[in-house]
Amino acid sequence: MKTTTIREKWRRAAEDSGMSQEEIGLRMGFAKGGARQAVSRLLNPDSDHDPRLSTFLLFAKAVNKSPKDLL
């Protein structure tokens, strides 16, 4: 049985939202020039970057998911 990683859940939530990474980033409050990159880094399964809780909460709100559903 395969275990779903947290970043896989986040990526699925982003895809299910129907928004681009840039749109999600803008809803999170990132500037237009860096919005896509910020979300890309957040969703990258190979990233060693651990987001702050506040960033995670902004992401959950941007994709209309409960934080609990993304853990």
Side-chain angles (χ1 to χ4, degrees):
M1 183 169 146
K2 184 181 181 223
T3 304
T4 303
T5 68
I6 288 176
R7 292 200 195 253
E8 287 172 331
K9 288 182 182 182
W10 297 354
R11 181 172 289 280
R12 189 174 320 121
E15 291 170 0
D16 291 349
S17 76
M19 293 181 281
S20 69
Q21 289 182 358
E22 181 176 27
E23 291 170 313
I24 294 169
L26 291 171
R27 289 185 74 175
M28 291 174 67
F30 290 103
K32 187 167 178 66
R36 188 200 59 78
Q37 291 170 323
V39 175
S40 177
R41 185 173 58 239
L42 183 69
L43 300 179
N44 183 347
D46 298 324
S47 177
D48 59 357
H49 170 76
D50 289 325
R52 292 180 175 187
L53 176 59
S54 58
T55 302
F56 167 68
L57 294 174
L58 288 170
F59 173 76
K61 184 176 181 180
V63 297
N64 295 315
K65 295 286 184 181
S66 162
K68 182 179 174 183
D69 292 337
L70 298 176
L71 295 176

